[in-house]
Amino acid sequence: MGWITPEVITVAIVSTVLVIASGLVQLTFGAYPLTVREAWQAVLDPAVIWNLDTLRAFVFQSTNPDVATGTLVVWDIRLPRVIAAVIVGANLAVSGAVFQSVTRNEMASPFILGINSGASLAIMLTLVVFTAFTPFLPLLAAAGGTVAFLIVYAIAWKGGTSPVRLVLAGVIVGTLMGSIQTALFFFAPDIDVILTALAWTTGSLTGAGWREIRLVFLLSVLSVGLTVIGARQLNVLMLGEETAGALGMSVERVRFALSGVAILSASSAIVVAGLVGFVGLIVPHMARNVVGSDYKQLIIACVFMGPALMTVSDMFARLIISPGQLPVGVLTGLIGGPYFLYLMRRRQKLGEL
């Protein structure tokens, strides 16, 4: 089968419409209200999109551009948040899809394999113990997730790894790191530290801007591109270790390399939004139900469906308790929980793919 099928095209169109619609709602909503027409005009303002110096000033925050107030609000505050949601959604969805193939377990995700726990622990250690490194918190969180997965891989290794051992090691490491993280809350010097930690560990796009986008854009393109290139290997891994080995695949090398790509995707999302749960778990499921299990189509579907889920969730996170905001991770959790209850009721066997 080819890469592009009618189902993939349908997913791409519907997801793009959802991203644009929810994005426009976010562009109009806020302390400086805009109509949909005004927001659209601000996005397409010729003073920005046809002026390289002005565009560069926004993206690199080098100067204060001389533009209309509506354009300034949209390009400086609201549009970056929408773009950040797109990047985070795509990264988490792709990461989850890869981990589910590597472990041959549909319950696998960055959360199950210890990445979220490692990032959470790194966040708390930075805020409570190594406070001098707080400006580097996003990068340290991503590094913590990477180290946690390497520990998981080392624990699971016994002349090689297996999907079952990887998942069990992930649960063990996640539990231990979660306990240490909880203990560190009692050593927090003040309530502001606790609130900052909660914002990062529940996942939030509040304050996400061009700086975060610049940090992860190229890494995100690289990780998604490598995943697309590795789609054939992901399909072979789904056949099982013995079959993959018989076809000439070096299973451990491929598994480790693809896990590295998934970590890169998950880390890119953590840098921007902290720990957003369930997106990497439910989007691959939703994509499989529409386009099937062939990773050639599944990855492309995830790249579109992840951003749709994130932008819609972030829209409601801003609207539900206006003028306050819920962390977007709360909304994705509220969506993900009922979805898995639905899966459990619908399917007799849930777990191994």
Side-chain angles (χ1 to χ4, degrees):
M1 294 179 66
W3 290 86
I4 306 301
T5 64
E7 292 81 6
V8 171
I9 294 173
T10 301
V11 166
I13 292 173
V14 173
S15 298
T16 301
V17 169
L18 286 172
V19 169
I20 293 174
S22 56
L24 276 175
V25 171
Q26 294 218 55
L27 295 181
T28 63
F29 180 77
Y32 186 88
L34 296 168
T35 65
V36 172
R37 181 178 179 180
E38 289 171 338
W40 194 250
Q41 288 175 338
V43 172
L44 301 177
D45 191 338
V48 179
I49 62 174
W50 298 117
N51 189 320
L52 187 58
D53 290 335
T54 304
L55 184 60
R56 187 185 297 115
F58 276 118
V59 175
F60 293 95
Q61 299 173 310
S62 54
T63 60
N64 293 320
D66 184 17
V67 294
T69 303
T71 300
L72 182 65
V73 169
V74 166
W75 276 88
D76 195 44
I77 300 173
R78 298 179 186 174
L79 184 60
R81 179 166 177 159
V82 175
I83 295 173
V86 170
I87 292 173
V88 170
N91 275 304
L92 289 175
V94 167
S95 178
V98 173
F99 278 132
Q100 288 174 16
S101 173
V102 166
T103 63
R104 293 183 63 223
N105 190 313
E106 61 185 341
M107 300 300 290
S109 71
F111 178 82
I112 295 296
L113 294 174
I115 295 174
N116 281 21
S117 299
S120 297
L121 181 56
I123 289 167
M124 285 303 299
L125 283 171
T126 303
L127 292 174
V128 176
V129 182
F130 304 107
T131 55
F133 296 97
T134 300
F136 306 101
L137 185 61
L139 298 177
L140 292 172
T146 301
V147 170
F149 182 78
L150 292 176
I151 294 173
V152 167
Y153 210 92
I155 293 174
W157 184 270
K158 190 178 180 181
T161 62
S162 71
V164 173
R165 286 205 299 271
L166 280 171
V167 172
L168 290 176
V171 172
I172 293 168
V173 171
T175 301
L176 290 174
M177 289 188 170
S179 298
I180 297 171
Q181 175 199 335
T182 302
L184 285 172
F185 271 103
F186 292 94
F187 295 93
D190 54 55
I191 190 65
D192 289 337
V193 170
I194 294 176
L195 292 176
T196 300
L198 287 175
W200 273 96
T201 55
T202 54
S204 175
L205 288 167
T206 302
W210 292 114
R211 175 179 175 272
E212 289 75 17
I213 293 171
R214 292 197 309 271
L215 278 173
V216 303
F217 179 76
L218 291 179
L219 292 177
S220 300
V221 172
L222 176 63
S223 61
V224 171
L226 290 174
T227 305
V228 171
I229 293 171
R232 179 181 175 276
Q233 284 72 27
L234 290 167
N235 281 332
V236 174
L237 282 176
M238 294 293 292
L239 299 175
E241 295 180 30
E242 292 184 3
T243 303
L247 292 173
M249 174 182 283
S250 177
V251 175
E252 285 304 326
R253 286 185 180 181
V254 172
R255 179 181 285 154
F256 189 79
L258 289 172
S259 296
V261 174
I263 290 171
L264 182 61
S265 284
S267 298
S268 297
I270 290 170
V271 166
V272 176
L275 308 179
V276 180
F278 277 104
V279 176
L281 196 58
I282 66 174
V283 171
H285 281 280
M286 297 167 68
R288 280 191 191 90
N289 289 336
V290 179
V291 303
S293 297
D294 188 335
Y295 267 78
K296 290 181 179 179
Q297 290 89 46
L298 183 64
I299 294 300
I300 297 175
C302 285
V303 169
F304 282 95
M305 294 179 74
L309 177 60
M310 277 298 298
T311 53
V312 171
S313 297
D314 194 42
M315 176 188 71
F316 283 110
R318 292 188 62 197
L319 294 177
I320 287 178
I321 59 171
S322 175
Q325 297 184 36
L326 284 174
V328 67
V330 173
L331 268 294
T332 57
L334 289 174
I335 294 170
Y339 182 78
F340 268 91
L341 285 175
Y342 162 75
L343 280 181
M344 289 174 63
R345 298 288 295 177
R346 181 184 175 192
R347 299 174 58 176
Q348 293 182 349
K349 187 176 181 181
L350 189 66
E352 186 174 345
L353 285 167

